[in-house]
Amino acid sequence: MAHRRLSNTVADVSVGIETNGVTMVEVSRALATRSQSLMTYLKREGADRLTTGQITIEPKIDGSKGSEGRADRIVGYTGTMSVNFRSPADKVSDLMSGALAQGANTLGEVVFTSREEDVDAARKELAVEATHLAMEQAASVAKAAGSHIAGVREIDVDPQNATLDYAKAAYSAPKALMMAGLSAAPIATAAGDQDLSIAVNVQVEVAQ
């Protein structure tokens, strides 16, 4: 098994918009205004992998029947929309705060990770390192048994043990009301790092 600590250089962020109103038209217009402002801001700031998630407009139902025994009725509408993007780790604080000042009013999950190309390069290097370690161990065992390695029968890079522990920031999705009046001050974050490991199994032939 070979291990390496990789620095988290990017963050995958999810922010949301929640609007409330009496009519569906009112809610859809508010959602449109906020989403246009948010998307314009994120594009201008160079947010990567910008993706619109689920968009919903749902009625708010009053289930109380009261003394008149009336049935459930619609008392308003709630519109929601999620937006996902990737940011360099050193810019994520400013981008999150900017997003909340430019239309978003809920903050979802923030996951710090490494770029895929960096992970792929590290996996290749770790596979070589783990193979060297496996061969050294095999040679030591053969020597202890009074033998030597006569050949290699199989080398298996075990994908089951190729793991990467993602770092997830402790953010939940607060209610829109809680975010009201939030200034654009940066939200403090720490990207940290993570452990990448690769397991290699080597089968060898030994001879006296």
Side-chain angles (χ1 to χ4, degrees):
M1 184 80 75
H3 300 267
R4 180 176 300 179
R5 299 299 298 181
L6 288 181
S7 297
N8 292 321
T9 55
V10 293
D12 293 320
V13 183
S14 175
V15 297
I17 299 171
E18 180 179 319
T19 62
N20 293 277
V22 176
T23 67
M24 185 178 293
V25 172
E26 178 186 351
V27 169
S28 63
R29 285 177 177 170
L31 200 60
T33 300
R34 283 183 172 272
S35 63
Q36 289 172 9
S37 175
L38 175 61
M39 298 296 280
T40 299
Y41 166 76
L42 290 174
K43 289 177 181 177
R44 184 177 70 243
E45 295 300 315
D48 194 19
R49 302 187 183 184
L50 187 58
T51 307
T52 300
Q54 188 175 23
I55 302 175
T56 64
I57 298 179
E58 298 179 338
K60 293 191 289 185
I61 305 298
D62 179 6
S64 60
K65 295 183 178 180
S67 58
E68 299 177 1
R70 62 191 179 195
D72 296 346
R73 61 191 182 95
I74 296 175
V75 295
Y77 292 86
T78 298
T80 60
M81 171 182 174
S82 63
V83 175
N84 306 308
F85 63 90
R86 171 168 284 191
S87 163
D90 58 356
K91 289 185 60 179
V92 68
S93 294
D94 291 333
L95 274 179
M96 284 192 299
S97 296
L100 291 169
Q102 295 292 330
N105 53 13
T106 63
L107 176 59
E109 194 172 70
V110 181
V111 180
F112 291 97
T113 186
S114 305
R115 296 185 186 276
E116 287 80 1
E117 54 267 33
D118 296 334
V119 174
D120 290 341
R123 286 188 190 279
K124 293 177 182 178
E125 294 172 2
L126 286 173
V128 173
E129 181 182 336
T131 302
H132 287 162
L133 291 172
M135 291 300 296
E136 289 174 2
Q137 289 185 1
S140 297
V141 171
K143 183 178 180 180
S147 304
H148 66 276
I149 294 178
V152 177
R153 299 186 62 181
E154 183 179 345
I155 299 177
D156 177 28
V157 179
D158 187 0
Q160 299 299 321
N161 288 317
T163 60
L164 188 64
D165 299 324
Y166 291 95
K168 188 174 293 186
Y171 295 120
S172 58
K175 295 295 183 181
L177 184 60
M178 295 173 59
M179 307 306 293
L182 183 72
S183 68
I187 300 171
T189 61
D193 58 12
Q194 53 197 302
D195 183 66
L196 176 64
S197 62
I198 294 286
V200 172
N201 301 312
V202 177
Q203 293 185 20
V204 299
E205 295 181 357
V206 296
Q208 296 293 329

